């Protein structure tokens, strides 16, 4: 195993559908979003709360993915949920 930053393909058209499915699966939360909105006292704050939550989750996932690629390079395998 090489150490350090290894070359990475930025776009792999063969695996794009897997990427898209994983992204949709990651942000799928209809079962929790609607009950949270219904139970809020100030429903007008929901849009801000939802946007903030999605941004925080996205930032965490991107950071985790970048750290994995910087650590393992092309040796990174597909997602665990495969």
């Amino acid at each position: 195993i090489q150490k350090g930053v290894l070359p990475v393909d930025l776009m792999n058209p063969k695996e794009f559908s897997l990427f898209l499915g994983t992204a949709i699966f990651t942000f799928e939360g209809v079962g929790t979003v609607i009950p949270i909105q219904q139970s809020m006292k100030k429903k007008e704050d929901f849009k801000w709360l939802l946007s903030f939550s999605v941004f925080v989750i996205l930032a965490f996932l991107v950071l985790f993915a970048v750290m994995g690629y910087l650590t393992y390079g092309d040796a990174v395998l597909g997602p665990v949920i495969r």
Side-chain angles (χ1 to χ4, degrees):
I1 296 177
Q2 282 183 297
K3 293 188 177 183
V5 179
L6 299 175
V8 176
D9 293 331
L10 294 180
M11 178 63 178
N12 184 356
K14 292 188 324 184
E15 300 289 332
F16 183 74
S17 60
L18 177 64
F19 160 74
L20 192 60
T22 303
I24 291 170
F25 174 77
T26 301
F27 287 104
E28 193 279 322
V30 172
T32 57
V33 171
I34 294 172
I36 290 172
Q37 182 190 24
Q38 294 300 317
S39 65
M40 290 183 69
K41 287 182 180 179
K42 294 182 180 179
K43 293 190 189 316
E44 61 273 3
D45 290 342
F46 178 72
K47 186 176 180 180
W48 177 86
L49 178 65
L50 181 64
S51 300
F52 178 75
S53 300
V54 168
F55 177 75
V56 169
I57 291 169
L58 178 65
F60 177 73
L61 292 173
V62 167
L63 178 67
F64 187 75
V66 167
M67 294 304 292
Y69 265 95
L70 289 177
T71 303
Y72 299 109
D74 284 338
V76 173
L77 299 175
V80 177
I81 61 171
R82 203 178 230 191

